[in-house]
Amino acid sequence: MTPVTEHDDILELGGARLHSRLFIGTGKFGDDALIPAVCAASGAQVITMALRRVDLDAGPANLMAHIPAHMVRLPNTSGARNADEAVRIARLARAMGCGDWIKIEVVSDSRHLLPDGYATARATETLAREGFVVLPYMNPDLYVARSLADAGAAAVMPLGAPIGTNRGLRTREMIAILVEELDLPVIVDAGIGKPSQACEAMEMGAAACLVNTAIATAGDPVAMGRAFGQAVAAGRAAFLAGPGAERRRASASSPLTGFLGEAGAGAGGAVPGEAQP
C-alpha cells in the first residue's frame, strides 16, 4: 500500500481542492478584525457566514470585508425556519455574489436549536437542482443523511453536540455510523469545544470539521485557531496511518521471556546473550 502524504491528501468538494480540513465560522468574535489572523493561523480555506450578517453597503463594517480573498465562502441560511426560507436565503446569497456554496440550516426549535431534517432535505433537493453546492447541517441520523444524499447534497454536516455548547462529540456513535455507511464526506459541525475533540472526529474518519464558537470565544482566538488547525491535521494523519486494534485485556509491549533467574538464564542469573562482566 502506497503511503498517503499530506500533499496527496486533498479533500475535493464542490470543484475545490482543499488542503486544510478545518472549516471555520465568523460568528461570536469580539472583533471581526480578528478574522484574517484566525484564517492565517488556522490554515483553513473554507469559512461560513450567516447571510443575515452580510451588509454590502456597510463599508469597512461589512463582515465580508474581513474575509480574505483566497477563502472559499460558505454562506449559511441561519435564521431560516422552513425549507422555503432556506431556499430564499440561498438564492439571495448567490445574487449578492457569495458563490454557489451554501450551508443549509433550518431551525424552527428556538430552545435546543436542533436542525429540521425533513425541511433540510426539501431545501437541499431544490438548491442542488439549481446548481448549488449544498452542505446541509443535520442531526446525525442515518435515514436523514441518506435522504440528503439522494437530494443531491455534496456532503453532510452532523452536529457533535447542540450548537454553541462546546461540549464535544456527544453524538460520537451516530457520527461513526454515518462515516461507515455514507459515500459522501462527513463534516462534523457544531459542539466541538476543544482541539482534542476535533482530532478525535478526524481519527474516526470524518472528512473535515467546522469550528466556530470554540475559536471565536477563546481567550486568544488566533492561537486557538492555530491549535485547531494542527489538531485536525493530526487526527487526519492518524486516520490515514490506521490506528492499532483495541483489546479488552492487557498485552505486553515486549515478549514475556528472558527475565532474571528464569530457567535457561546464564551463570549469575544473566539473560542469555547479555554481555558478561
Side-chain angles (χ1 to χ4, degrees):
M1 180 176 170
T2 304
V4 177
T5 70
E6 62 179 291
H7 300 293
D8 301 325
D9 184 36
I10 303 296
L11 174 59
E12 297 192 14
L13 188 63
R17 291 171 53 81
L18 305 173
H19 295 274
S20 172
R21 290 171 180 267
L22 172 65
F23 296 10
I24 61 175
T26 52
K28 299 185 179 178
F29 283 96
D31 184 349
D32 288 341
L34 286 169
I35 291 174
V38 171
C39 292
S42 66
Q45 295 171 274
V46 178
I47 189 165
T48 189
M49 75 293 293
L51 191 69
R52 57 183 174 168
R53 294 189 61 220
V54 176
D55 181 357
L56 299 180
D57 295 326
N62 176 22
L63 172 64
M64 301 295 279
H66 299 289
I67 297 177
H70 71 275
M71 300 291 288
V72 176
R73 297 172 181 178
L74 176 60
N76 64 64
T77 64
S78 172
R81 294 161 296 180
N82 55 53
D84 289 342
E85 290 181 2
V87 168
R88 192 176 310 131
I89 292 170
R91 289 170 177 165
L92 280 172
R94 175 185 269 174
M96 292 169 66
C98 294
D100 292 332
W101 287 41
I102 191 74
K103 178 187 170 195
I104 298 296
E105 295 184 18
V106 180
V107 176
S108 56
D109 160 34
S110 59
R111 180 179 183 189
H112 301 291
L113 301 179
L114 296 174
D116 181 335
Y118 304 105
T120 300
R122 288 198 297 275
T124 296
E125 183 174 18
T126 299
L127 294 171
R129 201 165 48 231
E130 295 180 8
F132 282 89
V133 177
V134 184
L135 285 74
Y137 170 55
M138 58 170 296
N139 290 302
D141 179 291
L142 179 59
Y143 296 101
V144 172
R146 284 174 172 162
S147 296
L148 294 169
D150 292 342
V156 294
M157 305 184 74
L159 58 85
I163 193 167
T165 61
N166 284 347
R167 298 182 66 199
L169 294 176
R170 300 290 172 150
T171 61
R172 187 184 195 283
E173 297 297 328
M174 299 299 104
I175 290 174
I177 290 172
L178 299 189
V179 170
E180 180 181 347
E181 295 292 333
L182 297 181
D183 292 329
L184 292 179
V186 175
I187 301 170
V188 179
D189 181 11
I192 293 178
K194 298 182 178 66
S196 58
Q197 295 159 353
C199 185
E200 181 183 3
M202 298 304 296
E203 288 174 346
M204 290 165 51
C209 291
L210 193 155
V211 181
N212 182 190
T213 299
I215 294 175
T217 62
D220 184 340
V222 176
M224 188 60 79
R226 182 180 301 109
F228 267 102
Q230 294 169 345
V232 166
R236 177 65 181 176
F239 171 75
L240 293 175
E246 294 186 6
R247 298 174 182 272
R248 290 180 60 84
R249 297 191 176 186
S251 175
S253 299
S254 302
L256 296 176
T257 58
F259 291 110
L260 292 176
E262 189 175 69
V271 175
E274 192 172 75
Q276 299 298 306

